[in-house]
Amino acid sequence: MPKGYWIGRVDVTNEEAYKPYIAGNGPIFQKFGARPIVRGGPFECMEGTARGRNVVIEFPDYATAVACYRSPEYQANMKIRQANAVTDMIIIEGPA
């Protein structure tokens, strides 16, 4: 079964206020069987535009990735991110 992935590009506008969002994701991701693949780190933008932080989170499948995003737990935590960052995010199905 193909995996599901969140791919996020983030510009954090308030680092201190953003920290509770990061901490709150741990239990949510654990509940949905998610695994961080990329969380920040150095990068080079080879084409197009970039944001300051890049994130890839792997889920057991696409449906679970969507369910996690739509879950009441993540929707509540997401409000912290939205108040303290500008984000582009997609959910995508990966190879089997």
Side-chain angles (χ1 to χ4, degrees):
M1 175 176 286
K3 305 260 187 197
Y5 297 89
W6 288 9
I7 300 175
R9 300 177 328 116
V10 184
D11 281 334
V12 177
T13 56
N14 184 334
E15 285 286 341
E16 202 58 36
Y18 189 80
K19 288 178 182 178
Y21 167 74
I22 294 170
N25 280 337
I28 298 167
F29 290 164
Q30 184 176 9
K31 176 180 176 181
F32 287 90
R35 180 173 74 100
I37 303 294
V38 174
R39 258 193 176 158
F43 69 92
E44 291 185 45
C45 179
M46 304 312 245
E47 295 185 37
T49 59
R51 294 202 179 271
R53 187 173 297 182
N54 299 285
V55 179
V56 178
I57 308 294
E58 180 184 78
F59 290 83
D61 54 62
Y62 179 80
T64 302
V66 172
C68 180
Y69 184 85
R70 292 181 177 160
S71 71
E73 302 95 331
Y74 185 73
Q75 289 296 302
N77 199 40
M78 182 174 72
K79 290 177 183 173
I80 299 169
R81 175 180 51 79
Q82 290 174 329
N84 297 290
V86 177
T87 304
D88 298 318
M89 185 186 302
I90 65 166
I91 299 175
I92 191 166
E93 184 177 86

